[in-house]
Amino acid sequence: MGSMGKVLGVGLVVGCAVAMCVVAGTMVGKRVKSRRRWRKVVKILEEFEEGCATPVEKLRQVVDAMAVEMHAGLASEGGSKLKMLLTFVQNLPNGSERGVYYGLDLGGTNFRVLRVQLGGQRSAILEPGVERQPIPEHLMTSTSEELFDFIAASLQKFVEKEGNGSVALEGKLRELGFTFSFPVKQTSVSSGILIKWTKGFSIHDTVGKDVSECLNQALERRGLDMRVAVLINDTVGTLALGHYHDEDTVAAVIIGTGTNACYLERSDDIIKCQGLLTTSGAMVVNMEWGNFWSSHLPRTSYDIELDSESPNPNDQGFEKMISGMYLGDIVRRVILKMSQESDVFGLSFSKLSTPFILRSPLIAAMHEDDSPDLREVARILGEILEIGDVPLKVRKLVVKVCDVVTRRAARLAAAGIVGILKKMGRDGSGGIASGEVRGGSHSKMRRTVVAIEGALYTSYTLFREYLNDAIADILGEDISPHVVLKVMEDGSGMGAAVLAAAYSSSGQDTL
């Protein structure tokens, strides 16, 4: 019996040892697997970062491509993905305008009415009582007459509230700047034909009609002594407001949910409308730059998928890389890929498959989270994407993805801006012809101001810093001090009103 007990004892010891080896082996195996999965995730990030790279040489290629496409779009209708639309705006406000003017901003499901009093010397007093109103849903699909009657009625109520507080207009026609952010074929500075509705509007009998005329008729029906003096989009309003405050302003860019740019072009360079009567030597051109495309843009598989799954594939390619509407979804697609290749985000990630669930303010909040344990990143992953208990190193990975997407967007937007400057001869690349002014014995660069509006630039600090740094990198230290980016607020309201003043019957020719 004794020897039997010994054998059993040895067997037990050996059995335990084998079991421990199996446990240890399993743990090592898990660690190896986990390390392999982590490496996969890091590889996804590295490949993405490489695909999004924007070294200065690449940005200069984008600058050149933008200038070339601008030339092509000005030369012939349909000559480029850039539409280069004529706005017929030739007189920009210069700050000497006087009087009371109105702005109407219809850009989506809300509209705003405002009144501004101008006193010369660049003094603009925005009078209290800016009214923002929703458009009742049934009017978005009703008739043209009903929609414009509703807007005219609101304008009438707004005017009736003026009372004695504002300067009386002594029987003068009230002049209105109308910002209408829908696709329009401009026919004069104050008229344009609606090409199609977007943003949930569907009123068939307005398509093909002059929208200013529709509003003017509704104002007449109400007996309101007001008329549309200028019909513009928000980018042109931003340029007008910039020029009102600073006459060196020659271009405007909006980078918010969407993106666009406009600039002042020499009339002689607008080849597609040779013979157009111009009272001044220049005209504002609305680029519709969201549709810019070039093979030099650093495109990844995530961009291609986003585009092919969008309602407008092969359209707005530049916008899909740089504007607030899309940045969050590129980040989401990269994180989704990581979660499919490994379990670093846990095993359930239902919300990660929801398109556009990550809006750009959330990307900014994660990117700019400076708490040591990235608390804000954890909160957003938990509350919005329903991914809980994400380890710190994975949260850092998410911040890095946000950084790569935002840095690329800001640097490409910067290249677009320098492309406009190049087309205008203000990027310093061509000596005297390129924006230099002869001054006595030496030459000096002309100061150039670009008005900029949109929450991505104004509210997202890291985006703004990346964009500013890229402009300085591309232009170089000699030229960049002469280029100023100035934030404008409310080009679509105030800008429309000051442009109406520049075009008012009592106003003066400016520019």
Side-chain angles (χ1 to χ4, degrees), residues 66 81 147 199 270 351 450 472:
M66 180 66 82
K81 279 217 153 213
L147 173 69
K199 307 173 199 178
I270 309 174
K351 286 289 173 80
V450 178

Side-chain angles (χ1 to χ4, degrees), residues 280-349:
S280 74
M283 183 186 285
V284 176
V285 172
N286 166 21
M287 292 174 62
E288 292 294 336
W289 88 346
N291 207 36
F292 168 68
W293 188 253
S294 158
S295 59
H296 295 297
L297 292 173
R299 200 181 200 201
T300 67
S301 58
Y302 307 99
D303 300 298
I304 292 165
E305 283 164 19
L306 182 148
D307 180 56
S308 66
E309 290 167 27
S310 70
N312 57 343
N314 298 319
D315 226 17
Q316 300 297 98
F318 196 47
E319 180 165 84
K320 284 170 182 165
M321 285 184 153
I322 71 172
S323 84
M325 170 93 183
Y326 300 99
L327 297 192
D329 212 55
I330 300 169
V331 170
R332 177 191 69 82
R333 285 166 186 276
V334 178
I335 297 174
L336 178 61
K337 171 88 165 164
M338 289 173 168
S339 70
Q340 288 164 344
E341 296 277 320
S342 87
D343 57 2
V344 291
F345 292 99
L347 295 170
S348 87
F349 38 83

Side-chain angles (χ1 to χ4, degrees), residues 138-139 141-153 203 205 218 221:
H138 70 277
L139 289 180
T141 52
S142 64
T143 66
S144 191
E145 197 165 301
E146 282 182 272
L147 173 69
F148 286 101
D149 276 344
F150 173 76
I151 293 169
I203 305 169
D205 65 339
R221 284 194 291 273

Side-chain angles (χ1 to χ4, degrees), residues 166 427 461:
S166 81
D427 67 331
T461 310

